[in-house]
């Protein structure tokens, strides 16, 4: 209880201090408890190979799965992270993501750098769904868009992939916003609007949600940029 003898302005300052202290305690406790890393992406993007390279230090034969893979990844001087390879099949991926998203400290969205041109719509829709998820918007886990299969001669680089994704996300955002306005009585679009209104979509405008891009090749065991990102997130 705040001291009753204190003047009103002093009690207000004390109340604000207590509220801030409680908020920081709860926020830090929640961040410490979130030690998960979700590997997400379409089928055949290379998620399971990346998972096996990180957890087992070797390639493990993979196939389209309807179940998640879970492993513990030790980060030097940072402790352990729980790595979850979320199935990419559209029938089950949302259910498994919902199971693990509340404990996600970071999200790695794996993109097939070679097949992006033909999969761009599906990739953008899945990415949009994750970024606009209420839990993701609230917890703001760090996100890495990992441009995998860079060993392929015709693979697109991270900068090109970012540009292509931003253009597709811009089109998708306009479509989603118009649909929401059509079915919503109040037309409350700000609650789920990604980026800044009045300008084309850019990942930088998702701040304080941090989205980074990096290249990798699980097939050739080139995961150094991913490992550095995991070190920074942990």
């Amino acid at each position: 209880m705040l001291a009753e003898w204190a003047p009103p302005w002093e009690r207000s300052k004390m109340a604000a201090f207590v509220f801030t202290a409680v908020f920081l305690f709860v926020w830090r406790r929640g961040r410490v408890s979130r030690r998960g890393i979700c590997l997400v992406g379409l089928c055949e993007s290379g998620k399971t190979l990346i998972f096996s390279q990180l957890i087992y230090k070797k390639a493990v034969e993979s196939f389209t799965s309807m179940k998640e893979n879970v492993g513990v990844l030790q980060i030097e001087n940072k402790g352990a992270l729980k790595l979850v390879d979320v199935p990419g099949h559209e029938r089950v991926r949302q259910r498994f993501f919902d199971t693990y998203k509340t404990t996600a400290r970071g999200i790695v969205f794996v993109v097939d750098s070679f097949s992006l041109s033909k999969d761009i719509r599906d990739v953008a829709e899945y990415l949009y769904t994750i970024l606009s998820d209420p839990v993701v918007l609230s917890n703001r886990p760090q996100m890495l868009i990992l441009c995998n299969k860079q060993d392929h001669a015709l693979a697109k680089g991270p900068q090109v992939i970012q540009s292509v994704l931003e253009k597709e996300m811009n089109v998708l955002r306009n479509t989603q916003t118009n649909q929401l306005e059509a079915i919503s009585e109040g037309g409350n679009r700000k609650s789920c609007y990604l980026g800044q209104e009045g300008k084309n979509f850019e990942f930088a405008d998702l701040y304080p949600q941090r989205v980074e891009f990096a290249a990798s090749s699980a097939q050739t065991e080139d995961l150094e940029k991913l490992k550095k990102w995991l070190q920074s997130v942990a």
Side-chain angles (χ1 to χ4, degrees):
M1 179 180 292
L2 297 176
E4 296 182 357
W5 49 264
W9 63 270
E10 189 68 29
R11 291 202 297 269
S12 297
K13 287 176 61 179
M14 293 172 66
F17 174 79
V18 171
F19 174 81
T20 301
V22 171
F23 172 81
L24 288 174
F25 172 77
V26 173
W27 181 80
R28 287 172 180 168
R29 185 177 180 181
R31 180 168 172 77
V32 169
S33 66
R34 293 197 296 271
R35 300 295 297 173
I37 300 293
C38 290
L39 278 173
V40 299
L42 301 187
C43 294
E44 308 299 331
S45 59
K47 297 189 294 21
T48 303
L49 182 56
I50 291 170
F51 176 88
S52 64
Q53 294 282 18
L54 291 174
I55 299 298
Y56 304 118
K57 313 300 182 187
K58 63 179 181 179
V60 175
E61 184 178 358
S62 64
F63 51 88
T64 301
S65 176
M66 303 293 279
K67 193 177 186 303
E68 81 276 39
N69 295 303
V70 181
V72 176
L73 184 63
Q74 294 291 339
I75 305 296
E76 186 177 0
N77 300 323
K78 293 289 189 73
L81 292 173
K82 182 179 181 180
L83 189 64
V84 182
D85 170 22
V86 178
H89 197 288
E90 60 183 350
R91 286 175 51 192
V92 298
R93 64 192 182 200
Q94 188 61 48
R95 173 164 59 88
F96 282 105
F97 182 67
D98 287 345
T99 299
Y100 294 100
K101 65 186 179 183
T102 55
T103 57
R105 192 180 190 84
I107 298 173
V108 180
F109 191 98
V110 184
V111 175
D112 185 333
S113 304
F114 172 61
S115 67
L116 181 65
S117 296
K118 68 181 182 65
D119 295 332
I120 182 61
R121 182 68 177 183
D122 292 337
V123 170
E125 286 181 348
Y126 190 15
L127 182 58
Y128 190 98
T129 298
I130 290 175
L131 288 172
S132 59
D133 184 282
V135 173
V136 174
L137 289 171
S138 176
N139 292 346
R140 295 196 296 271
Q142 293 191 49
M143 175 172 284
L144 177 69
I145 298 180
L146 189 64
C147 307
N148 195 33
K149 302 188 181 182
Q150 288 293 311
D151 53 296
H152 199 288
L154 299 179
K156 293 179 173 60
Q159 289 185 330
V160 173
I161 289 176
Q162 178 175 345
S163 178
V164 171
L165 271 177
E166 285 178 338
K167 291 178 182 178
E168 190 65 29
M169 292 282 283
N170 190 63
V171 174
L172 184 58
R173 182 182 63 178
N174 293 337
T175 303
Q176 295 280 353
T177 302
N178 291 336
Q179 290 176 348
L180 284 172
E181 288 182 334
I183 63 176
S184 174
E185 293 181 359
N188 183 20
R189 62 176 177 170
K190 288 188 177 180
S191 61
C192 57
Y193 191 86
L194 295 181
Q196 292 187 20
E197 295 192 58
K199 61 174 295 192
N200 291 334
F201 176 88
E202 292 182 12
F203 287 102
D205 293 333
L206 297 178
Y207 182 84
Q209 173 74 57
R210 187 177 179 183
V211 180
E212 300 177 66
F213 284 74
S216 73
S217 173
Q219 195 67 45
T220 60
E221 302 182 28
D222 181 9
L223 299 175
E224 290 309 308
K225 292 181 180 178
L226 170 59
K227 291 176 181 178
K228 288 181 180 179
W229 181 84
L230 290 169
Q231 179 75 27
S232 69
V233 169

